[in-house]
Amino acid sequence: MSIQINDVSKSFGSFKVLEDISIDIPTGELVALLGPSGSGKTSLLRIISGLEEADQGAILFNGEDMTHIQTTERKVGFVFQHYALFKHMTVFENVAYGLRVRPRKERLSKVKIKEKVEELLGLVKLESLAGRYPSQLSGGQRQRVALARALAVEPKVLLLDEPFGALDAKVRKDLRRWLRRLHDEFHITSIFVTHDQEEALDVADRIVVMNDGKIQQIGTPEEVYDHPNSPFVYDFLGNVNLFHGRLENGKLVNGHAEIEASTAKESEGREAIAYVRPHDVVIERERVSKEAVPAEIVHIHVVGRTVHVELKRKDVDEFLEAELPKEQYRKLALEHGQSVFIRPGQLKVFIPEDFSI
Amino acid sequence: MAGQIPLQLGAKKTKSQSVTEPPWVRRVLISAALLFLALFLVLPLTAIFIKAFEQGIDVYTASITHPDALSAIKLTLLVVVLTVPLNALFGVAAAWAITKFDFRGKSILVTLIDLPFAISPIIAGLVFVLLFGSTGLFGDFLFEHNIQIIFAVPGIVLATLFVTFPFVARELIPLMQAQGSAEEEASLTLGANGWKTFMRVTLPNIKWGLLYGIILCNARAIGEFGAVSVVSGHIRGLTNTMPLHIEILYNEYQFSAAFAVASLMSILAIVTLILKNIIEWKAAQREQQEDVV
Amino acid sequence: MKKLKLKKHSILPGFGLSLGFTTFYISLLILLPLSMIFINTASMSWQDFWTTVTEPRVMASYRLSFGASFAAASINVVFGVLIAWVLVRYSFPGKRLIDGLVDLPFALPTAVAGIALTTLYAETGWVGQFLPFRVAFTPLGITIALTFIGLPFVVRMVQPVLQSFEKETEEVSAILGATRLQTFRKVILPEIFPAALTGFALAFARALGEYGSVVFIAGNMPMRTEITPLLILTKLEQYDYAGATAIAAVMLVISFVLLLLINGLQWWTNKRIAH
C-alpha cells in the first residue's frame, strides 16, 4: 500500500511540532525518518497511525483519504520502542490478540488463529517460548514478539518507532538485518523512526531527514550521505570538518588555502563554510596544489581496517579529522608529530543565511 | 466516517478517539463519580456543620464549652499525647529492625504489625477487659492493689495504643526499604557512631514519612470509638472522650450539641487531610529532586 | 521467636535494641491481649462454644455483617475503580480537591460519620425523605455506613496502578483493531484487577469489624439489624464474658484469614507494578 502525506502540520500551543510535511512513499518501500529528538519524527509516525490527529493536511493510503479514519480501522502495524507488550498475556496470547478482538463475523476459527500465531512465532524464531510471559524474555525477544504481534493482523503498513532503541549494540545490529530480510520477503510498506544515522543508512531504501518539524532532505542513503543539501544534513549524517572562509573569485579562501568552490557569482565576498567528510580529506607528504595546507599530526588511532588521524592546521588554529584505509596509511608512513599537507577531496560549500553556525 | 470535516481541527484535539473515550462517555463517568462522592462524602460533611449551627451560635458555643465537653476534649488530648509518641517510637524501632537487618521470622513480624488493622475495634477493647477487668486475668491483683484500668483512663490509653499501633511502622517500612542502607553505611565508615548516624542521616531521610504516619496515627487516636467504647464505662466528665461524648449527646436527643462537638472533630479531620496532602506533595517534590540529581 | 538469628552480617548498629523493643512492645500490647481470647475460649467446652457461636441471634448477626460488608465492598469496587479512573485519566475543575477528599473516611471519626449518615438517611432526613423506602435502621443503612468507611481503599489501591500504566499498550490494542471496550476489558481490567481485589479485601475486612459508623444507623434490633461487633459488646455489657469471647474468637480467626489473603494479594499487586 502506498502512503501519501500531504502538507501535514501540527502544533502544541505556539510550538510547531510539524510544518507542511509532504512525503510520497510507494508500495513496498522501507523508509527511515531520521532526525534528532524533538524533530517531530515520532509525531509524524503517530499521525500516520492515527494515534494522533494532525491540525492540518491529509494522510492517504493507496490514494484513499485516511485522515479521519480511526486507528482501529487503519489496519497498520505499529511497533513501539519499549515493546508495549501485554504483561498479563503469554507470548502466544500477545500475538493472537489482534486476531481475537476482531468482530465475530470476521474472526478466524480458534484452530486457524492457533496455526497463524504458530507460523508467526516460527518467523520470529520464538516457537519454543510461546507459553512464556513478557517478563521472562530478553529485550530482543520482546521486540520480536512485538513485531510478530503487529504482523498478525496482516497490516498493509508497518510503522516502527525507534524499534531498536532500547536494545544493546549487538542485538540491535542482528535485529536490524533481520528486519531488512523480513521486509525484502514480505514487501510491506514500512516506515521506521530512528535517531541513529548508521541504522538509517544500513536498513532504509530511502531516508527522510527531519529537523525542527521540517523535512531537510529526502533521498536514498547514498544521496543524503554523499550529497547533503544542507549543513544540518551534512552534520547529522556522519562526522564532518568545517573550513570557514570568504568567497573570492569563486574560491573559498581560508588561511593559506584556496579551495575551489562552485558557487553563484552573487555570493562573491560573502562568508562561507566548506564541509568535508573525514574520508574526503587527502593527506600528502608534499604540497602539490594551492588547496593544500600544512598541518601536524596530533593523534593516530587505528580501528580495524580504518585509520583515524587527528591533525592541527599550521596556518590557522584549527583541528581536523581525516580517515584513510590502512594500506594508504602504511604507504604514506604517517607518524605522530609529523608535518604533512592536507586538502579536501570532495566538499560542499554552504553560505550561511545568518552567521550562527 | 471520512466525512468532509474542515481540516482545521484546533490544537486542543491531540489524541484520536481510539485511545480515549468519546466526550459524552467521559462526562457521564465524571458525573457518576462526582455524584457518588457528593452523596457519600460532601453531603455528610456539610450536614454536620449545618446541624451544628441549626439552633444558632449560642447553642453551639454553649455545647462546646460545656464542662462535660471540655473534659472530653481534655481527655482526648491526653490520650493523644500518651499514645502517639509511643507508637511513633515503636514505628521507628520496628522499621529500623525490619529494613536494616535480615533475620528469621521477619515476615511474621511484619504480619503481626498489620494485625490491628484487621481486627474489630470491639475485639481490641474486649481483650483489655479480659486482661484487666474485674473477672479478668489480672482482675484480682489489680483490685487488691486498688488499681483501676478498665473504666478508667489507662484502659482508654491501652485500647487506643492497640488500634493506632501500625500507622507509623506501616509508613516507614516501605520508605526505608526503598532507601536502603548505603547512606548509613557511608556515615559509619566516615566515623559517625550509631546514634549520630541515625540523627543526621536516617531521620532527615524519613522525616516526611514519619510525619505522615504520625498524622494518620493522630487522627485515629482522636477519633477511635469502638475500642474506647468497650473499656471506658462512659463516665461523664471522667472517662468520656470526644467521640463517646458525641454518642451520649446524640442518644439523649441533644442533636445540636452532638453535632457541635462533631463539627470540631470534622475540622480536625479536614486539617488532617490538608496536612496529609501537603506532606504527600513535599515527598513527591523530594522524589523529583532526587531524580534530577 | 527466641531463636531470632542474624542471617546476614551488617555493620549497622542497633539490631538488638530495635528488635528487642519491637518484639517486647508487640508481645505486650498485641500478642498477650489477643491470646486472652483463645485462652478464655479454650476454657469452654467444645459443646458450649459451638452452641454459643451458632445460636440463631449470632448466626443472624454473621449473615448481616458478612452480607452488608460484602455489598459495601462490592459497591466500593465499582465506584472505587470509577473514581480512580476519573481522577487519573480525566481533568476537570476541582480535581485536586476531590482527590484529597477521598481520604475523608480515614480522617473523620467513625462516630461523627455515623451520626451524620443517620441524620441524612432517617425518614425525615435530607436524603431519606425523598426515598420511597426506609434506609436508616435497615440493613441498607448499614451497607451505606460500611460503604462510607471503605470508600478510600479501592481508590487508593487502583490509582497508582493506573498512574503507572503504560499508555502505549492501550495504543497497541487500538492499532490491532480492538474497540475501546475491548481494550478496557482485555488490557486495562486485567492489570488493575489484583489492586481492585486487594482494595475489596481491605474494605471488606474493615467493614466486618466496623462499629462506630454503624451503631447509629443500624437500629440494633436483634435478629434484624444487629451486627456481630455490636453483639459482642452487648454480651459484654450483660457480663456474658464467655459468650462475647467465643464470638470474638470466631471473628478473630476470620480476620487472620483475611489478613493472610490481603498480604498475598498485595504481594501479587506489587509484582504487577514492579514489571
Side-chain angles (χ1 to χ4, degrees):
Chain A
M1 187 155 4
S2 69
I3 303 171
Q4 249 179 297
I5 300 157
N6 287 347
D7 288 326
V8 164
S9 293
K10 183 176 180 66
S11 44
F12 287 118
S14 60
F15 177 66
K16 286 188 172 160
V17 184
L18 292 170
E19 254 185 285
D20 297 327
I21 303 287
S22 295
I23 311 171
D24 270 342
I25 301 167
T27 307
E29 201 175 48
L30 176 54
V31 173
L33 296 181
L34 176 67
S37 56
S39 59
K41 54 195 194 308
T42 296
S43 291
L44 182 59
L45 199 71
R46 290 172 66 87
I47 288 171
I48 298 170
S49 74
L51 287 173
E52 271 170 48
E53 272 180 33
D55 300 339
Q56 234 176 70
I59 304 289
L60 278 68
F61 288 177
N62 264 357
E64 197 184 327
D65 190 358
M66 285 284 161
T67 318
H68 302 291
I69 303 282
Q70 296 254 320
T71 308
T72 325
E73 317 284 324
R74 287 199 193 186
K75 300 212 161 45
V76 298
F78 201 107
V79 175
F80 286 94
Q81 178 176 5
H82 297 288
Y83 331 121
L85 294 178
F86 305 126
K87 281 177 277 193
H88 60 281
M89 295 183 199
T90 61
V91 168
F92 185 95
E93 289 165 338
N94 262 284
V95 178
Y97 184 84
L99 302 170
R100 287 179 175 168
V101 294
R102 283 188 187 163
R104 202 166 297 258
K105 269 185 271 171
E106 299 167 32
R107 206 181 301 159
L108 298 172
S109 70
K110 275 201 175 133
V111 183
K112 282 266 170 60
I113 290 179
K114 189 162 186 284
E115 271 173 23
K116 177 123 198 210
V117 172
E118 274 164 1
E119 185 196 317
L120 281 160
L121 288 176
L123 187 72
V124 297
K125 300 194 176 57
L126 289 171
E127 305 101 313
S128 56
L129 304 179
R132 296 260 186 108
Y133 285 91
S135 58
Q136 298 166 305
L137 303 179
S138 72
Q141 289 170 334
R142 287 182 206 185
Q143 199 54 296
R144 268 146 59 199
V145 175
L147 260 163
R149 181 177 64 179
L151 292 172
V153 292
E154 294 177 1
K156 296 288 181 291
V157 172
L158 189 59
L159 306 170
L160 307 103
D161 186 8
E162 301 261 4
F164 315 124
L167 303 169
D168 57 55
K170 175 80 176 67
V171 181
R172 183 146 57 187
K173 218 158 204 165
D174 288 348
L175 217 52
R176 169 160 117 191
R177 289 279 143 76
W178 181 82
L179 174 70
R180 183 68 240 184
R181 278 204 305 278
L182 188 84
H183 182 263
D184 291 345
E185 203 174 313
F186 288 91
H187 276 287
I188 306 171
T189 315
S190 308
I191 305 176
F192 79 102
V193 157
T194 181
H195 63 265
D196 180 351
Q197 38 105 2
E198 197 191 319
E199 196 167 285
L201 292 169
D202 195 19
V203 181
D205 294 327
R206 255 191 328 154
I207 297 177
V208 178
V209 186
M210 293 182 67
N211 189 35
D212 285 337
K214 284 181 280 238
I215 293 178
Q216 299 294 323
Q217 190 171 4
I218 306 180
T220 63
E222 293 75 38
E223 278 166 10
V224 291
Y225 188 78
D226 293 334
H227 307 287
N229 66 358
S230 66
F232 173 81
V233 178
Y234 228 123
D235 215 18
F236 197 71
L237 285 145
N239 291 330
V240 73
N241 293 301
L242 305 186
F243 291 84
H244 293 262
R246 187 179 291 278
L247 288 170
E248 282 168 20
N249 300 324
K251 286 178 176 164
L252 181 73
V253 181
N254 161 274
H256 291 167
E258 283 179 21
I259 301 164
E260 207 69 49
S262 49
T263 47
K265 279 265 185 293
E266 307 86 74
S267 312
E268 255 325 286
R270 292 190 62 180
E271 298 276 345
I273 305 164
Y275 283 71
V276 185
R277 295 238 184 262
H279 56 76
D280 288 329
V281 173
V282 182
I283 303 179
E284 287 158 332
R285 306 287 301 254
E286 312 286 336
R287 187 172 193 192
V288 292
S289 75
K290 267 191 158 184
E291 292 187 342
V293 288
E296 188 191 322
I297 296 177
V298 188
H299 186 71
I300 300 174
H301 67 122
V302 184
V303 182
R305 307 193 48 79
T306 325
V307 182
H308 298 265
V309 183
E310 258 176 62
L311 304 123
K312 184 174 187 290
R313 280 173 66 172
K314 286 179 176 171
D315 54 343
V316 288
D317 194 23
E318 270 172 30
F319 286 88
L320 285 176
E321 204 190 316
E323 221 177 272
L324 64 165
K326 214 174 202 170
E327 302 90 70
Q328 206 183 338
Y329 159 73
R330 289 226 184 88
K331 220 190 278 174
L332 285 164
L334 299 178
E335 54 187 72
H336 187 259
Q338 202 174 22
S339 289
V340 290
F341 291 92
I342 51 133
R343 67 182 168 83
Q346 200 185 13
L347 80 156
K348 179 128 185 166
V349 174
F350 293 104
I351 300 157
E353 302 300 322
D354 49 20
F355 293 97
S356 63
I357 296 173
Chain B
M1 207 179 271
Q4 289 304 309
I5 306 162
L7 288 178
Q8 202 74 43
L9 287 167
K12 258 191 186 169
K13 199 173 178 183
T14 55
K15 286 270 190 290
S16 92
Q17 295 207 340
S18 41
V19 283
T20 183
E21 291 71 44
W24 71 269
V25 174
R26 266 179 280 171
R27 271 196 289 274
V28 167
L29 293 179
I30 292 172
S31 309
L34 292 185
L35 189 71
F36 181 80
L37 289 172
L39 209 61
F40 274 89
L41 298 184
V42 181
L43 203 58
L45 198 59
T46 325
I48 293 165
F49 288 97
I50 291 180
K51 292 280 169 191
F53 289 101
E54 212 169 37
Q55 293 184 20
I57 191 93
D58 293 337
V59 176
Y60 183 86
T61 31
S63 307
I64 59 172
T65 53
H66 190 277
D68 287 350
L70 288 176
S71 82
I73 293 170
K74 262 184 233 154
L75 180 60
T76 299
L77 288 179
L78 178 70
V79 170
V80 166
V81 165
L82 288 173
T83 55
V84 174
L86 257 177
N87 277 339
L89 188 67
F90 161 77
V92 173
W96 180 269
I98 285 165
T99 60
K100 305 290 180 193
F101 305 98
D102 255 326
F103 54 88
R104 220 180 292 174
K106 189 154 127 175
S107 55
I108 298 174
L109 197 64
V110 175
T111 313
L112 281 177
I113 291 174
D114 274 347
L115 207 52
F117 275 160
I119 291 172
S120 173
I122 296 298
I123 294 179
L126 170 69
V127 292
F128 290 105
V129 175
L130 294 179
L131 268 181
F132 304 117
S134 55
T135 60
L137 189 63
F138 300 114
D140 295 334
F141 173 83
L142 294 172
F143 184 75
E144 277 164 28
H145 292 80
N146 204 15
I147 304 170
Q148 182 128 31
I149 291 182
I150 298 304
F151 306 139
V153 177
I156 295 173
V157 172
L158 280 173
T160 309
L161 270 180
F162 186 102
V163 292
T164 61
F165 160 89
F167 284 100
V168 177
R170 281 294 288 173
E171 282 309 316
L172 289 183
I173 291 169
L175 180 69
M176 285 168 73
Q177 216 135 40
Q179 284 175 348
S181 309
E183 286 183 41
E184 281 83 1
E185 282 164 359
S187 162
L188 289 167
T189 55
L190 291 170
N193 64 24
W195 179 246
K196 274 207 175 123
T197 298
F198 176 78
M199 291 304 285
R200 296 193 173 202
V201 177
T202 313
L203 206 56
N205 274 338
I206 62 168
K207 66 172 180 230
W208 291 117
L210 181 62
L211 198 60
Y212 191 92
I214 287 176
I215 282 175
L216 295 181
C217 182
N218 181 62
R220 184 69 194 265
I222 292 172
E224 181 48 34
F225 177 67
V228 171
S229 188
V230 178
V231 295
S232 116
H234 300 89
I235 306 161
R236 269 194 212 203
L238 275 178
T239 61
N240 259 353
T241 59
M242 287 169 81
L244 296 176
H245 186 61
I246 292 173
E247 185 196 19
I248 290 177
L249 291 172
Y250 188 84
N251 287 343
E252 288 173 350
Y253 303 103
Q254 299 188 43
F255 293 135
S256 289
F259 278 105
V261 182
S263 75
L264 284 185
M265 302 200 78
S266 305
I267 290 167
L268 283 176
I270 292 165
V271 171
T272 301
L273 286 185
I274 292 170
L275 285 176
K276 184 174 165 291
N277 277 289
I278 290 174
I279 291 169
E280 274 169 349
W281 180 71
K282 285 263 184 200
Q285 246 190 350
R286 194 192 154 100
E287 224 167 81
Q288 269 180 350
Q289 275 170 1
E290 272 165 14
D291 281 350
V292 172
V293 173
Chain C
M1 289 295 271
K2 280 267 166 57
K3 274 194 189 163
L4 288 170
K5 195 177 75 181
L6 199 63
K7 271 208 247 158
K8 236 197 245 164
H9 174 74
S10 171
I11 65 157
L12 294 177
F15 176 66
L17 183 69
S18 62
L19 188 64
F21 178 65
T22 304
T23 27
F24 174 74
Y25 197 81
I26 291 186
S27 308
L28 212 64
L29 194 69
I30 307 288
L31 292 180
L32 172 69
L34 282 182
S35 64
M36 289 309 295
I37 301 268
F38 295 107
I39 291 167
N40 281 28
T41 311
S43 66
M44 292 172 82
S45 76
W46 174 250
Q47 191 64 47
D48 284 351
F49 174 76
W50 189 249
T51 325
T52 313
V53 300
T54 57
E55 71 174 88
R57 185 174 168 190
V58 183
M59 291 302 277
S61 85
Y62 297 149
R63 273 195 295 275
L64 178 65
S65 273
F66 274 88
S69 299
F70 189 85
S74 305
I75 294 170
N76 277 328
V77 165
V78 174
F79 283 93
V81 170
L82 174 70
I83 292 164
W85 178 268
V86 163
L87 286 177
V88 173
R89 289 301 177 92
Y90 305 148
S91 56
F92 50 91
K95 184 167 126 165
R96 272 297 285 131
L97 188 73
I98 286 160
D99 195 2
L101 198 66
V102 166
D103 288 319
L104 181 72
F106 285 165
L108 197 69
T110 51
V112 174
I115 62 168
L117 289 171
T118 312
T119 308
L120 285 177
Y121 288 95
E123 266 171 298
T124 53
W126 292 359
V127 181
Q129 61 179 314
F130 298 111
L131 297 173
F133 46 84
R134 277 183 62 170
V135 176
F137 317 125
T138 70
L140 188 60
I142 296 170
T143 307
I144 284 178
L146 295 179
T147 306
F148 173 85
I149 53 124
L151 179 75
F153 288 107
V154 178
V155 182
R156 293 304 183 223
M157 286 305 296
V158 172
Q159 219 175 357
V161 180
L162 276 178
Q163 246 146 13
S164 69
F165 195 80
E166 267 185 298
K167 191 87 188 167
E168 289 180 349
T169 48
E170 284 171 60
E171 291 176 347
V172 158
S173 174
I175 288 170
L176 291 171
T179 61
R180 191 65 191 145
L181 208 62
Q182 278 175 320
T183 301
F184 185 77
R185 235 165 14 108
K186 296 189 171 221
V187 176
I188 300 167
L189 214 52
E191 288 290 324
I192 59 176
F193 180 73
L197 194 62
T198 311
F200 173 87
L202 286 167
F204 182 72
R206 173 73 205 266
L208 264 190
E210 178 57 19
Y211 172 76
S213 58
V214 179
V215 278
F216 299 99
I217 206 168
N220 309 327
M221 280 167 290
M223 302 300 292
R224 298 220 5 241
T225 57
E226 188 177 48
I227 54 166
T228 312
L230 178 74
L231 186 59
I232 296 174
L233 189 65
T234 311
K235 292 211 177 262
L236 199 61
E237 277 167 356
Q238 292 162 351
Y239 301 103
D240 179 6
Y241 284 14
T245 313
I247 301 167
V250 173
M251 292 278 289
L252 208 51
V253 169
I254 293 165
S255 297
F256 285 143
V257 172
L258 278 174
L259 190 65
L260 287 179
L261 198 73
I262 290 164
N263 276 359
L265 283 172
Q266 237 148 15
W267 175 80
W268 190 28
T269 318
N270 289 340
K271 217 179 71 171
R272 288 273 172 130
I273 298 180
H275 277 176

